[in-house]
Amino acid sequence: MGYVYSGYETNKEIKRNSYIRKGKSAFFNTSYICADTETSWNHNVLNPVCWIYQWAFTFDNGLYYGRTPVEFVNKIAEICEIQKTDNDHKLICFFLNLPYDFSYLVLFLKEKFGDPVKILAHAPRKPFSVEYGNGLILRCSYKLSNDSLDRWSKKLDTKHKKLVGMIDYEKIRTQTASLYKKDWEYMFRDVIVLDECIQKQLELYSDTIVTMPLTSTGYIRRVLKKKFDEHEKGIENKNRHLFKDSALNVTTYNAHNLEFAGGISQGNINMRCKKQVGRIRHRDFDSHYPSRLRVKRYSRDKYALFTESATIEDLQPYKEEYSILCEVYLQDLYLKSNEITLPYLQKSHVLRYISEGFRYLDNNGRMVAFQGISKVYLYIEEVELVRRQYNGKILINKTYASVKDFLPKWFTDVIDSSYIGKNSLKEEIEYLESENVNRDIIFNKKTDLMKKKNLLNGMYGVAATNPVRVEYTLSGNEWKTEKTNVEDIESKLKKFYNSRNSFMRFQWGTECTKNARLELMEFVECIGYENFIYSDTDSIFYYSTDGIEQRIEALNEKKKQKALQ
């Protein structure tokens, strides 16, 4: 092609590099692949056909490119052969969006390397790490950054930036169609920017390709684990003992796992597809999940059977001192009023365990009404909210409880330092920018701010990591989810709690999301269901009046005073 990119040699001769060891395996010290593909389709909705028409990747300051997936896989195989990769000598290949690219390449990779020997995924077809028997590991850089390539490169101030908007993706391009200089420039720029982002990320956290985590929560996990170990010293492994004493068994793990849900991203069910005009305001919660972790009390000890059956009134005297998780049977529920515009019950949760002949009406995934019986798991505060919203029978069967206490110092110290550091850095950056201070100084401060934000926002993610990992396998293009029985769950829980690398409690993650959802619902009720427009986990859009603003400020002040107690 003759196209030259500064700092990279096209089709550079591939030479064998040295490895560094991690445990039983070895990885390249500095070399890795950064790859991307461009795809097109026939624009036939009834019979869609998709294909790769262009690809490129960087490796060891070399730039390699081609048109077909066969060419791509053959070039990767050539590198693996020269580097003599195998089960003990690994080569990492980054894709910005691995699930997308992998869906196009999976069958070509199978033909060359066989089926993957190890897959880490959030769900079927959503892998973030795929390993083959020849030592090739595909990884998703998006899970490392939680950012688009454009935003990530700007945050890290890479030398090159993504050429946003340069290519018309509506145009049909085949593997034999002519490509022009701008097509290749766009393609090359993507992989070079990704390469520079990986390099900058390694420098930012003083990592090597060996120590770099697979996902963004890995950085936060390291900080928290260090604090956990520091507080553990000199006190007879107190933190370790408390952690193991809080262990979930199969029953309480399943209860927490079935209760677990994310934030509420939902619009007013009466305003769907209707344009809203008026005095609309948006407010969000400042560092919502970290603040819930900091000011609320969480389970301290092991969850144990609390009651065999109970009413809401029976449990109310205990809810301030105990975290109470309930097995609940719901029968023939329906919203008390059309004015309840944000139903709390999720269709996906309600439909997990249902009676024969179950019938329901939902609105965008939120239950409006159903006939039949459903078994769900809810904390007692959630049961109270469901009773406020719905008519019907609510029967609390077994409950599991743990004494509540504020989170331990090793955890709250990191929350406090991250939050204070974030706010002080924001103020400092604003001042430096107003004084026109040297750009490099400001950039270094912004880098520190980014790390503080990531640390603060990621602490919940560490807590919410499921200790019983779901196993996925892939045969050809067919994804299979390995079924787990009681013995499997018991074995995985035992391994988790016995590992010196484990330290975080899954139940804190479920309790945190519950606390965040309930606070959001509290403000929706304060604003008034009729004025609610949309919520997105930690923010609310609503019709504003002077009275509503006064009620919000009063509730904010009440919460502030309680937090200061």
Side-chain angles (χ1 to χ4, degrees):
M1 173 179 290
Y3 188 85
V4 178
Y5 222 106
S6 176
Y8 291 84
E9 181 182 340
T10 54
N11 292 322
K12 178 183 176 182
E13 181 185 357
I14 301 167
K15 297 180 180 179
R16 192 180 183 196
N17 293 322
S18 60
Y19 290 88
I20 52 177
R21 188 159 292 279
K22 181 184 180 182
K24 296 181 180 179
S25 298
F27 293 79
F28 283 117
N29 189 13
T30 57
S31 298
Y32 49 85
I33 296 169
C34 286
D36 192 23
T37 66
E38 293 298 338
T39 63
S40 190
W41 71 299
N42 62 352
H43 291 202
N44 185 334
V45 177
L46 298 178
N47 185 30
V49 179
C50 310
W51 60 85
I52 291 173
Y53 70 86
Q54 184 184 21
W55 60 264
F57 65 79
T58 61
F59 175 73
D60 199 22
N61 296 114
L63 186 59
Y64 307 89
Y65 58 89
R67 301 297 303 272
T68 70
V70 171
E71 293 172 348
F72 174 85
V73 171
N74 285 341
K75 198 65 182 179
I76 295 292
E78 180 186 344
I79 292 177
C80 291
E81 189 174 332
I82 292 172
Q83 304 305 326
K84 300 188 182 303
T85 62
D86 56 33
N87 192 47
D88 293 323
H89 299 83
K90 317 285 189 180
L91 172 63
I92 295 174
C93 175
F94 291 99
F95 288 90
L96 183 70
N97 185 355
L98 178 60
Y100 181 82
D101 293 284
F102 187 64
S103 67
Y104 284 86
L105 291 167
V106 57
L107 293 178
F108 299 97
L109 289 163
K110 173 187 170 58
E111 186 174 346
K112 181 64 69 173
F113 306 125
D115 285 322
V117 295
K118 183 178 181 181
I119 296 175
L120 299 177
H122 297 291
R125 303 187 185 281
K126 298 291 183 183
F128 57 89
S129 180
V130 179
E131 184 172 342
Y132 289 90
N134 72 328
L136 176 67
I137 302 175
L138 312 181
R139 286 192 184 170
C140 183
S141 67
Y142 178 78
K143 288 300 177 184
L144 190 69
S145 66
N146 285 331
D147 256 323
S148 68
L149 184 60
D150 181 42
R151 289 196 302 268
W152 194 19
S153 65
K154 289 175 180 175
K155 285 182 178 180
L156 295 176
D157 195 28
T158 55
K159 179 180 178 181
H160 298 93
K161 302 294 187 295
K162 182 176 173 64
L163 298 173
V164 178
M166 189 173 186
I167 297 298
D168 179 11
Y169 281 104
E170 292 303 310
K171 181 179 178 180
I172 298 177
R173 295 177 174 85
T174 66
Q175 294 170 346
T176 57
S178 297
L179 295 180
Y180 302 96
K181 181 177 179 180
K182 71 172 186 178
D183 297 305
W184 288 109
E185 185 176 1
Y186 182 83
M187 177 88 268
F188 292 164
R189 182 68 68 92
D190 270 6
V191 294
I192 286 169
V193 171
L194 178 56
D195 191 356
E196 291 177 350
C197 282
I198 296 295
Q199 293 176 35
K200 286 273 190 175
Q201 191 82 358
L202 290 169
E203 295 169 9
L204 184 64
Y205 290 95
S206 301
D207 271 315
T208 66
I209 200 68
V210 174
T211 60
M212 174 181 270
L214 273 66
T215 67
S216 60
T217 55
Y219 296 110
I220 297 95
R221 185 181 300 277
R222 289 196 303 213
V223 175
L224 289 170
K225 180 63 164 59
K226 183 179 179 181
K227 278 291 182 182
F228 178 91
D229 291 341
E230 285 176 358
H231 280 277
E232 187 178 293
K233 292 176 182 177
I235 49 177
E236 298 179 351
N237 292 324
K238 179 182 177 182
N239 290 337
R240 178 63 51 189
H241 287 306
L242 290 174
F243 169 70
K244 296 191 73 171
D245 287 344
S246 72
L248 298 171
N249 59 32
V250 174
T251 300
T252 54
Y253 161 76
N254 281 331
H256 280 87
N257 193 37
L258 291 169
E259 187 284 338
F260 183 82
I264 301 175
S265 296
Q266 184 77 19
N268 183 314
I269 63 175
N270 293 336
M271 296 179 183
R272 192 174 181 185
C273 300
K274 297 178 183 178
K275 183 178 180 179
Q276 302 301 311
V277 179
R279 183 183 172 187
I280 296 173
R281 183 165 181 186
H282 164 256
R283 289 199 188 214
D284 60 15
F285 299 93
D286 185 20
S287 300
H288 198 203
Y289 281 19
S291 72
R292 294 306 86 202
L293 288 168
R294 188 64 180 90
V295 304
K296 301 291 285 186
R297 292 190 298 163
Y298 287 75
S299 57
R300 186 188 67 193
D301 305 317
K302 190 186 300 289
Y303 270 85
L305 182 65
F306 193 56
T307 60
E308 290 284 356
S309 66
T311 65
I312 294 176
E313 286 71 26
D314 292 335
L315 298 172
Q316 279 179 335
Y318 302 98
K319 68 178 185 179
E320 293 301 318
E321 298 302 320
Y322 292 86
S323 179
I324 305 173
L325 183 56
C326 311
E327 180 185 84
V328 185
Y329 287 87
L330 308 173
Q331 181 176 2
D332 300 338
L333 260 59
Y334 58 95
L335 287 176
K336 290 182 175 180
S337 168
N338 290 333
E339 295 177 358
I340 297 176
T341 59
L342 182 57
Y344 188 71
L345 288 174
Q346 297 180 64
K347 180 179 76 172
S348 59
H349 279 205
V350 171
L351 295 184
R352 278 177 179 154
Y353 299 104
I354 56 177
S355 59
E356 187 175 350
F358 190 90
R359 300 170 61 194
Y360 67 92
L361 173 67
D362 77 292
N363 190 310
N364 198 27
R366 296 276 161 182
M367 276 296 183
V368 174
F370 62 79
Q371 289 183 346
I373 299 173
S374 169
K375 184 178 80 170
V376 297
Y377 287 87
L378 300 167
Y379 289 96
I380 181 58
E381 298 88 350
E382 295 179 290
V383 181
E384 291 174 330
L385 175 57
V386 169
R387 186 169 72 170
R388 291 200 301 274
Q389 289 193 338
Y390 294 85
N391 284 321
K393 294 182 180 179
I394 301 174
L395 173 65
I396 300 175
N397 192 31
K398 294 179 180 179
T399 65
Y400 305 92
S402 172
V403 174
K404 287 198 289 192
D405 200 355
F406 291 106
L407 291 175
K409 185 172 171 54
W410 63 264
F411 201 166
T412 57
D413 278 354
V414 181
I415 296 174
D416 291 347
S417 63
S418 300
Y419 185 77
I420 294 169
K422 181 194 78 167
N423 289 338
S424 62
L425 278 168
K426 285 172 69 175
E427 294 174 359
E428 186 177 358
I429 289 168
E430 288 175 2
Y431 171 76
L432 293 174
E433 288 179 333
S434 69
E435 295 294 315
N436 295 317
V437 172
N438 182 278
R439 177 182 177 276
D440 290 338
I441 295 175
I442 294 175
F443 172 74
N444 289 335
K445 295 292 182 182
K446 286 185 175 181
T447 300
D448 291 339
L449 176 61
M450 179 182 68
K451 292 171 71 174
K452 290 289 185 185
K453 283 183 175 180
N454 291 343
L455 180 59
L456 187 64
N457 295 329
M459 278 182 273
Y460 154 75
V462 179
T465 302
N466 198 319
V468 179
R469 184 181 293 279
V470 179
E471 304 290 341
Y472 299 99
T473 58
L474 186 60
S475 178
N477 199 24
E478 183 181 352
W479 286 80
K480 293 183 180 179
T481 304
E482 295 296 315
K483 294 182 179 180
T484 53
N485 54 33
V486 171
E487 290 76 17
D488 293 330
I489 295 173
E490 188 173 34
S491 174
K492 289 181 179 182
L493 287 173
K494 183 178 180 180
K495 182 178 179 180
F496 174 76
Y497 287 108
N498 285 336
S499 171
R500 296 293 295 184
N501 292 323
S502 302
F503 65 97
M504 188 59 81
R505 307 183 195 183
F506 178 54
Q507 50 268 44
W508 288 347
T510 64
E511 292 166 27
C512 179
T513 49
K514 174 262 298 184
N515 288 332
R517 290 193 304 270
L518 290 176
E519 184 172 56
L520 187 143
M521 293 300 304
E522 184 180 5
F523 274 89
V524 169
E525 291 178 327
C526 172
I527 290 166
Y529 283 113
E530 69 279 9
N531 299 307
F532 163 73
I533 298 175
Y534 176 75
S535 69
D536 190 5
T537 302
D538 63 354
S539 64
I540 302 174
F541 290 82
Y542 59 95
Y543 281 109
S544 174
T545 66
D546 291 342
I548 289 173
E549 299 304 325
Q550 290 171 7
R551 294 200 300 270
I552 292 174
E553 291 304 325
L555 183 54
N556 275 332
E557 184 61 26
K558 178 182 176 182
K559 288 181 172 290
K560 178 181 177 181
Q561 294 305 318
K562 186 174 182 179
L564 292 173
Q565 290 177 358

